[in-house]
């Protein structure tokens, strides 16, 4: 999720104050929280019909953008990044691309395998090829 999207969503959940003019008097009224419409993602891993998909980091993505997206996925995105920490079972290969792919896919799987859950500011892409089965 891009920073501008995060700021926009944060703004939507903020409470608003409305100034009402009643018979020449100005009074403030606190409105209820603005509702945020969320769409339910499709059940299961159905982005490509008839197959499983994974969300991986784009090989040509700028390193700075990949690092920011990885930091977001492991932080505010709440992906489980413990396996890619030093000494973890998925730490090797110790590359930004590999760690970002792990975090992106973890977030994607936790968020209904919907296309929108695999964007990360354009640094990710969907694939039908299992990244664990590299040759």
């Amino acid at each position: 999720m891009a920073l501008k999207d995060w700021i926009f969503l944060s703004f939507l959940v903020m409470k608003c104050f409305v100034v009402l003019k009643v018979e020449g008097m100005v009074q403030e009224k606190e409105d209820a929280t603005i509702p945020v419409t969320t769409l339910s993602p499709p059940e299961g891993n159905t982005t490509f019909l008839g197959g499983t998909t994974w969300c991986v980091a784009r090989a040509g993505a700028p390193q700075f953008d990949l690092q920011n997206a990885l930091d977001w996925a492991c932080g505010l995105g709440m992906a489980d990044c413990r396996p890619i920490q030093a000494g973890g079972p998925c730490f090797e290969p110790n590359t930004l691309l590999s760690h970002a792919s792990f975090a992106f896919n973890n977030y994607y799987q936790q968020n209904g395998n919907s296309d929108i859950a695999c964007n990360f500011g354009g640094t990710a892409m969907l694939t039908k090829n299992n990244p664990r089965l590299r040759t």
Side-chain angles (χ1 to χ4, degrees), residues 13 17 21 25-26 29 38 64-66 69-70 75 87 91 101 111 115 121 123:
V13 296
F17 289 94
K21 192 166 189 172
M25 282 179 34
V26 175
K29 177 184 173 198
T38 56
F64 179 80
D65 294 341
L66 269 178
L70 172 61
F91 181 72
S101 290
N111 287 279
D115 292 354
T123 63

Side-chain angles (χ1 to χ4, degrees), residues 30-85:
E30 183 179 350
D31 277 351
T33 303
I34 298 171
V36 176
T37 304
T38 56
L39 302 175
S40 297
E43 291 297 320
N45 197 342
T46 59
T47 303
F48 294 108
L49 294 177
T52 302
T53 58
W54 292 266
C55 179
V56 296
R58 282 190 192 277
Q63 299 283 300
F64 179 80
D65 294 341
L66 269 178
Q67 185 65 58
N68 283 338
L70 172 61
D71 292 344
W72 183 89
C74 294
L76 293 173
M78 298 191 306
D80 181 7
C81 295
R82 291 174 292 185
I84 57 175
Q85 300 301 314

